Amino acid sequence: MKKYILGLFAVAVVSSCVSQQEKAMKSADKNFILKAANENFAKKKWKNALALYDRLTNLVAGTDDFPNVGFNTAYANYYDKSYKLAGHQFKNFAVNFPKDPRAEEAAYMSALCYYEGSMDYNLDQSTTETAINELQDFLTNYPNSERSKNISQLIDELSYKLEFKAYENARQYFKMGEYKAANVAFENVLEDFPSTKLRPKIYDFIMKSRYELALKSVYDLKDERIESALAYTKLVERELPNTEYSKTATDLKAKLTKEKENFAVVKKQTEARITALTARQKKEADKLAEKNKADQQIKDQISNEKKAMQIQRDSAALQTPPPAATFKIQR
């Protein structure tokens, strides 16, 4: 019986709340709607509160209640995890009511909303970049605020997300065997994030990328790429001594040195073959040139002889007088 009574009481309470929400949604009484909205806000019924605050926007415009409605609406959206909308509303509050005691809080919450709205590192990071800018703006505008104490930590966290995304993109190139692209991408990470905590791993991947490039290089670039890879192994040994990375560097340096020695032998043999081939080609070219020269001489001789014979025929024709004229006598 006791449970039955409690159940009826609960149903009555819910029914009463729903009834009040419905009345407020249909009402044109600003004060009644505001009271119901604030009660929902206090009870953390964010969606109900937002539905009523939305109705109040035009009703309270230009009144003393307008800032409170805007401030509570922003918080309700924040707690409802609509961070982008809440951030926009908090920012508008801070800009439109700079003398309000809550302006600093609104500016902080705006930056915090953008921070909360930052996507996972493997997704689009435009929201992360916006969040960093908003947090830095708060530091600039409120350098002595108590709320500034954790801002730097939040910025570092977001920055790491950006650099980790760039690092992962570069690592994908390496995994796909695109070592030239991987080398460039990892170097860009170091340039864009000079203070990155991932520097040891990035050094390792650049070193391995250059090693793979050297081993798989075409003949004309082999020397250059071996030297580049060797230089990077020495850099890793120097920058990361007594680490797993320096041990890898020492191992790769030995392999690259051996590869350099082997390639020197191949290069010498190749150059010898090229020299011999060039000499043979020159010899054949010289022989062909001699043959062509002899053939041309024969052609020239024949041509000259023909010209001489033609001159003789022309001369004989000039020296021979034309035959005497003959006349027939008519009978």
Side-chain angles (χ1 to χ4, degrees):
M1 186 66 178
K2 185 177 180 181
K3 290 182 179 179
Y4 177 73
I5 294 172
L6 288 174
L8 287 176
F9 178 75
V11 171
V13 170
V14 171
S15 177
S16 173
C17 291
V18 171
S19 177
Q20 172 134 343
Q21 179 72 9
E22 288 179 350
K23 287 179 182 178
M25 287 297 293
K26 296 176 182 178
S27 175
D29 185 344
K30 179 195 74 172
N31 294 327
F32 178 70
I33 300 171
L34 182 59
K35 181 174 180 288
N38 289 338
E39 286 176 357
N40 281 325
F41 185 86
K43 293 175 182 178
K44 299 182 181 181
K45 296 180 178 180
W46 311 122
K47 292 189 184 300
N48 285 348
L50 285 167
L52 295 176
Y53 283 136
D54 186 55
R55 292 203 65 222
L56 283 165
T57 303
N58 293 329
L59 295 175
V60 299
T63 70
D64 292 340
D65 292 319
F66 185 69
N68 294 330
V69 169
F71 195 73
N72 284 1
T73 299
Y75 258 116
N77 275 311
Y78 173 78
Y79 289 126
D80 199 42
K81 297 185 179 180
S82 297
Y83 298 120
K84 186 174 183 179
L85 178 57
H88 179 71
Q89 290 168 339
F90 277 122
K91 190 168 187 177
N92 281 345
F93 184 93
V95 171
N96 293 328
F97 306 103
K99 295 182 179 180
D100 191 292
R102 297 166 295 182
E104 180 187 317
E105 181 182 353
Y108 174 78
M109 288 303 301
S110 174
L112 191 62
C113 284
Y114 286 108
Y115 164 82
E116 294 288 357
S118 172
M119 307 293 281
D120 290 339
Y121 81 89
N122 56 332
L123 300 175
D124 177 61
Q125 291 302 297
S126 58
T127 53
T128 301
E129 293 170 355
T130 301
I132 291 174
N133 292 334
E134 292 294 328
L135 290 166
Q136 288 176 334
D137 284 347
F138 182 82
L139 279 178
T140 302
N141 295 328
Y142 301 96
N144 301 318
S145 172
E146 285 294 318
R147 296 183 175 90
S148 297
K149 292 181 179 179
N150 71 327
I151 293 290
S152 295
Q153 181 181 342
L154 298 181
I155 291 175
D156 288 343
E157 182 182 330
L158 293 173
S159 296
Y160 181 76
K161 190 183 291 188
L162 292 177
E163 66 187 62
F164 189 75
K165 180 181 178 68
Y167 167 81
E168 279 296 298
N169 288 343
R171 199 166 70 90
Q172 287 303 313
Y173 283 123
F174 184 86
K175 288 170 68 177
M176 291 187 296
E178 299 287 343
Y179 301 115
K180 186 175 181 180
N183 181 75
V184 173
F186 278 119
E187 287 183 336
N188 286 341
V189 177
L190 291 177
E191 184 176 345
D192 294 338
F193 307 97
S195 301
T196 178
K197 297 176 183 177
L198 297 169
R199 182 174 292 273
K201 291 183 178 180
I202 293 173
Y203 276 171
D204 187 53
F205 275 114
I206 292 177
M207 177 176 64
K208 290 175 179 176
S209 296
R210 293 191 181 190
Y211 171 78
E212 294 292 343
L213 273 175
L215 261 58
K216 297 174 172 62
S217 178
V218 295
Y219 180 87
D220 290 343
L221 299 175
K222 188 84 170 178
D223 265 335
E224 177 187 337
R225 287 178 173 174
I226 288 176
E227 291 301 330
S228 174
L230 278 171
Y232 219 85
T233 60
K234 294 173 184 176
L235 181 145
V236 172
E237 285 180 327
R238 183 175 65 253
E239 296 292 328
L240 305 170
N242 303 318
T243 64
E244 58 178 304
Y245 306 113
S246 64
K247 292 177 182 178
T248 301
T250 302
D251 179 54
L252 294 184
K253 184 170 70 173
K255 292 178 180 179
L256 286 165
T257 301
K258 185 66 177 176
E259 183 73 11
K260 182 178 180 180
E261 293 170 355
N262 292 339
F263 183 65
V265 174
V266 172
K267 189 177 179 181
K268 186 175 181 180
Q269 294 172 344
T270 301
E271 288 175 350
R273 286 197 296 270
I274 291 173
T275 301
L277 178 61
T278 302
R280 186 165 63 251
Q281 289 174 337
K282 185 177 184 304
K283 186 176 180 181
E284 290 175 355
D286 290 344
K287 287 173 65 178
L288 181 60
E290 286 295 325
K291 182 178 179 302
N292 290 337
K293 184 178 180 181
D295 290 345
Q296 188 62 44
Q297 287 176 344
I298 292 171
K299 289 179 180 179
D300 291 344
Q301 184 179 352
I302 292 172
S303 177
N304 291 335
E305 289 176 354
K306 286 181 177 180
K307 288 179 181 178
M309 290 174 66
Q310 185 63 42
I311 290 172
Q312 288 178 355
R313 283 196 294 270
D314 293 344
S315 176
L318 290 172
Q319 294 174 3
T320 303
T326 58
F327 299 95
K328 288 184 178 182
I329 300 174
Q330 296 183 356
R331 293 181 184 185

